[in-house]
Amino acid sequence: MALYQVETKLSEDEALERAREFFGEDGLGLHLKEQQDCCLEFTGGGGHVSVIAVNGEGIRLEIETREWDRQVGQFMEEVGG
């Protein structure tokens, strides 16, 4: 299991929507197991991806994954900045 963090200029809602599009059924095809106001959890392919949006001076995404490290890296490049 690996833990990652990325700062984004997106709003919390935009960041979580991008995660849903990237990892979900229309993206990588992972199953959206759980959704709350600030977080999403996806499962599939023998692993999982959890995305938590943390409000502060900006939005920080905390991402936990097993088996999807490369794809998480791609997602962080897309939303980072």
Side-chain angles (χ1 to χ4, degrees):
M1 180 172 60
L3 299 172
Y4 300 95
Q5 292 186 14
V6 63
E7 299 286 332
T8 184
K9 293 180 180 175
L10 300 172
S11 70
E12 181 178 331
D13 289 341
E14 290 171 326
L16 291 174
E17 181 59 30
R18 292 281 294 274
R20 191 177 300 106
E21 292 171 358
F22 187 91
F23 295 107
E25 299 292 332
D26 294 331
L28 294 177
L30 299 179
H31 170 71
L32 180 59
K33 179 180 175 183
E34 186 174 340
Q35 178 176 347
Q36 297 179 14
D37 290 343
C38 67
C39 50
L40 303 169
E41 183 175 353
F42 301 92
T43 60
H48 73 274
V49 177
S50 298
V51 180
I52 300 171
V54 179
N55 279 310
E57 290 184 23
I59 300 296
R60 182 180 74 244
L61 299 178
E62 297 179 351
I63 305 170
E64 176 185 300
T65 187
R66 186 180 70 222
E67 301 299 332
W68 295 96
D69 296 272
R70 182 175 56 82
Q71 293 85 351
V72 166
Q74 291 171 338
F75 174 72
M76 290 185 345
E77 286 181 23
E78 287 185 18
V79 300

